[in-house]
Amino acid sequence: IILTVPLRAAAVVLLVGLTWLLANTLFGGENGSSMLHFFSGKMNIAGKPRPRRYKCGLSAPCPPKHLAFRLVSGAANVIGPKICLEDKMLVSSVKNNVGRGLNIALVNGVTGELLKTKTFDMWAGDVSDLLKFLRPLHEGTLVFVASFDDAATKLNDESRRLFEELGSTAVKDLAFRDSWVFVGAKGIENKSPFEQRMKNSKSSNKYEGWPESLEMDGCIPLRPPLEG
């Protein structure tokens, strides 16, 4: 009985000390209340501020009257390409609208409205289907292109020229299984700044028989309505 009271007193002191330490840990710190940050959702598990997310995963917002986009070419012949515009996925394996060859989305350059998506098999398909698709494009139409597997074997001189007229500089050299992402426009006056090509090369390929996938994003200005 004589030892019980001191032991109980010591236990109370220890409990108070642990409680104070726990409270100081949760509510103290250099950056204010960690617990308040936790419940407000402003910090992630590691205690660092969560990076802000912008349309299509861009690192910064686009200016007014600009379209945010992200293009990802296919990886080998396994993972399909992606075309994202204004945070909407236009082309992806999840949407089940990708295919071997060229994956293309047409967008109204004035309104940003999706007009059409289509795939063209450039290994075993007919290039005339691609020509019929590209020839009648209206002035100002934006053209988003992402390759998957082989995007070049069936390309002929006319199809390459049509892409050059949309602003491409890489299409003239596009070859078997090269990776390619491109954004062009009907009636563009200069060459497009939105284009990447990765050459299929045994010495540098990331996958056996294919180069690495390409990823490109940016902001495209909407064009003013055509007069008349």
Side-chain angles (χ1 to χ4, degrees):
I1 296 174
I2 296 174
L3 296 175
T4 302
V5 175
L7 287 175
R8 286 180 178 175
V12 170
V13 172
L14 180 61
L15 180 60
V16 171
L18 289 174
T19 302
W20 178 86
L21 182 61
L22 178 61
N24 186 63
T25 301
L26 291 176
F27 295 100
E30 296 179 359
N31 296 322
S33 173
S34 299
M35 185 60 74
L36 289 177
H37 278 295
F38 176 80
F39 283 114
S40 67
K42 294 180 180 179
M43 303 188 77
N44 58 22
I45 296 175
K48 298 180 180 179
R50 293 182 182 276
R52 187 171 179 182
R53 184 187 179 282
Y54 298 101
K55 292 178 180 179
C56 291
L58 270 65
S59 59
C62 289
K65 296 183 179 181
H66 282 66
L67 300 174
F69 78 90
R70 181 182 296 274
L71 296 180
V72 183
S73 68
N77 62 347
V78 179
I79 302 175
K82 296 178 182 179
I83 300 178
C84 176
L85 184 70
E86 284 293 285
D87 231 17
K88 296 179 180 179
M89 197 62 68
L90 307 184
V91 173
S92 71
S93 296
V94 174
K95 292 181 68 70
N96 196 30
N97 62 348
V98 303
R100 177 176 64 182
L102 295 173
N103 293 261
I104 302 179
L106 301 182
V107 172
N108 186 313
V110 176
T111 66
E113 175 189 4
L114 174 65
L115 301 175
K116 186 183 297 185
T117 65
K118 197 164 184 179
T119 65
F120 299 91
D121 188 342
M122 292 289 99
W123 170 251
D126 189 343
V127 72
S128 64
D129 294 334
L130 176 64
L131 297 176
K132 293 174 183 177
F133 185 76
L134 295 177
R135 285 170 183 159
L137 294 183
H138 296 294
E139 187 85 3
T141 301
L142 296 173
V143 183
F144 296 79
V145 184
S147 65
F148 184 24
D149 191 3
D150 175 35
T153 296
K154 286 298 182 76
L155 287 178
N156 60 11
D157 290 343
E158 183 181 359
S159 59
R160 292 177 190 271
R161 178 179 57 78
L162 288 172
F163 279 118
E164 288 179 346
E165 291 176 356
L166 296 173
S168 173
T169 56
V171 70
K172 66 179 182 295
D173 298 317
L174 195 66
F176 175 65
R177 286 185 177 175
D178 288 356
S179 291
W180 184 42
V181 287
F182 167 67
V183 183
K186 181 69 173 181
I188 189 172
E189 296 181 358
N190 300 306
K191 296 304 180 182
S192 172
F194 302 115
E195 183 173 32
Q196 293 182 18
R197 169 184 170 240
M198 179 65 70
K199 184 176 176 56
N200 172 24
S201 172
K202 290 182 179 180
S203 62
S204 60
N205 281 349
K206 182 175 182 179
Y207 311 105
E208 184 177 353
W210 290 269
E212 65 179 302
S213 173
L214 292 174
E215 186 169 337
M216 178 177 67
D217 60 32
C219 303
I220 300 175
L222 288 169
R223 63 179 298 160
L226 298 174
E227 295 181 1

